[in-house]
Amino acid sequence: MGWIDEPLVGFDTETTGVDVDRDRIVTAALVRRTATGTRTSRWLIDPGVEIPAAATAVHGITTEHARAHGCAPREALGEIATALADAVTRAEPIVAFNASFDLTLLDAELRRHGLPTMPERLGHPVRAVLDPLVLDRHVDRYRRGKRRLGDLCTHYGVLADGLHSADVDVIATLDVLAAMALAHPHLATTDLDTLHDRQVDAHRLWAESFNAWRRSQGLAGPGAELHWPCRTVTTDRAGGARVA
């Protein structure tokens, strides 16, 4: 018996864009998986801003649909954060693909709406988190090719249709994690605290290497975030967020 046989809580969001400091959550899903089944919670949120066409092309949610059917951000964000904090308190790991995006954006949103962030709710940083993207880079660092969720589904033999819907992506992420534990048994026998810390180190190693490559290519932009699974943000008076 290891963590793979215990309850896991998957988390994913679909958003207005990819800027964790400025963009907003449009949909979110939590899936609690146990040995006896899964329980899924879903949220559709009116983000209070226009949803760009490029984002709608990914997840299918238009501004009009979100305004007509979505719930208020403050209410939904509070429910999401409470559910995640409860999972951590129960010692159930949060499973998220590219966790640094979803968890950092969630904290920015919570601050934007005057709500306690995840660390503030818990009284400590969020842990343990399991991120199949970071774990895959850790156990198979030199494999060529892309490592998007769909790519990992293919690599690990996971069937997944309709990706880019938050609940579908969560199920696929949990399935990929289970397949990874079979392919790399030492993951399943490593305790969660140790595995969390190894992911912190593995992500920073990858990010530093990636950013060095970007500089060597003369590419502009901020590059990869060094912090995992999330970084501390504060909300500015304009409603955005910045690194603390």
Side-chain angles (χ1 to χ4, degrees), residues 3 8-12 93-104 128-139 147-149 152 156 173-174 176-178 180 187 192 195-200 202-203 206 225 227-230:
W3 56 261
L8 302 170
V9 177
F11 174 54
D12 187 55
I94 297 172
V95 180
F97 189 88
N98 194 18
S100 58
F101 175 81
D102 295 284
L103 292 177
T104 300
V129 176
L130 296 172
D131 185 338
L133 174 60
V134 176
L135 288 170
D136 184 62
R137 288 175 179 151
H138 174 56
V139 299
R147 300 185 194 237
R148 297 166 300 190
L149 179 55
L152 264 61
Y156 287 101
T173 298
L174 289 167
V176 165
L177 181 65
M180 289 182 69
L187 293 177
L192 286 171
L195 204 53
H196 182 102
D197 291 338
R198 287 181 182 173
Q199 289 173 97
V200 171
H203 176 79
W206 168 81
E225 171 62 52
H227 297 88
W228 182 96
C230 58

Side-chain angles (χ1 to χ4, degrees), residues 174-231:
L174 289 167
D175 289 345
V176 165
L177 181 65
M180 289 182 69
L182 288 175
H184 305 282
H186 67 281
L187 293 177
T189 57
T190 302
D191 69 87
L192 286 171
D193 278 337
T194 299
L195 204 53
H196 182 102
D197 291 338
R198 287 181 182 173
Q199 289 173 97
V200 171
D201 294 339
H203 176 79
R204 179 172 285 274
L205 179 66
W206 168 81
E208 290 174 345
S209 176
F210 178 73
N211 290 344
W213 174 83
R214 285 177 55 87
R215 289 191 296 271
S216 73
Q217 301 299 307
L219 298 175
E225 171 62 52
L226 296 179
H227 297 88
W228 182 96
C230 58
R231 61 177 165 83

Side-chain angles (χ1 to χ4, degrees), residues 11 47 58 66 85 154 188 234:
F11 174 54
V58 173
T154 299
T234 57

Side-chain angles (χ1 to χ4, degrees), residues 117-152:
T117 64
M118 287 292 296
E120 289 168 347
R121 290 166 187 267
L122 294 166
H124 57 78
V126 179
R127 62 183 300 147
V129 176
L130 296 172
D131 185 338
L133 174 60
V134 176
L135 288 170
D136 184 62
R137 288 175 179 151
H138 174 56
V139 299
D140 202 353
R141 182 179 176 188
Y142 299 105
R143 188 176 79 249
R144 293 182 179 273
K146 296 180 179 180
R147 300 185 194 237
R148 297 166 300 190
L149 179 55
D151 301 315
L152 264 61

Side-chain angles (χ1 to χ4, degrees), residues 17-106:
V18 297
D19 185 339
V20 295
D21 294 335
R22 295 286 178 179
D23 281 306
R24 313 295 175 92
I25 296 173
V26 178
T27 66
L30 265 69
V31 177
R32 184 173 186 264
R33 175 174 287 182
T34 69
T36 58
T38 61
R39 186 178 71 230
T40 302
S41 300
R42 304 175 182 86
W43 290 265
L44 171 63
I45 301 172
D46 174 5
V49 298
E50 293 285 330
I51 301 173
T56 297
V58 173
H59 52 61
I61 307 299
T62 64
T63 301
E64 294 72 23
H65 182 81
R67 287 175 177 169
H69 304 286
C71 57
R74 197 174 194 278
E75 173 188 354
L77 293 165
E79 292 175 356
I80 294 165
T82 296
L84 287 171
D86 287 348
V88 173
T89 300
R90 295 192 302 265
E92 297 175 1
I94 297 172
V95 180
F97 189 88
N98 194 18
S100 58
F101 175 81
D102 295 284
L103 292 177
T104 300
L105 178 58
L106 175 62

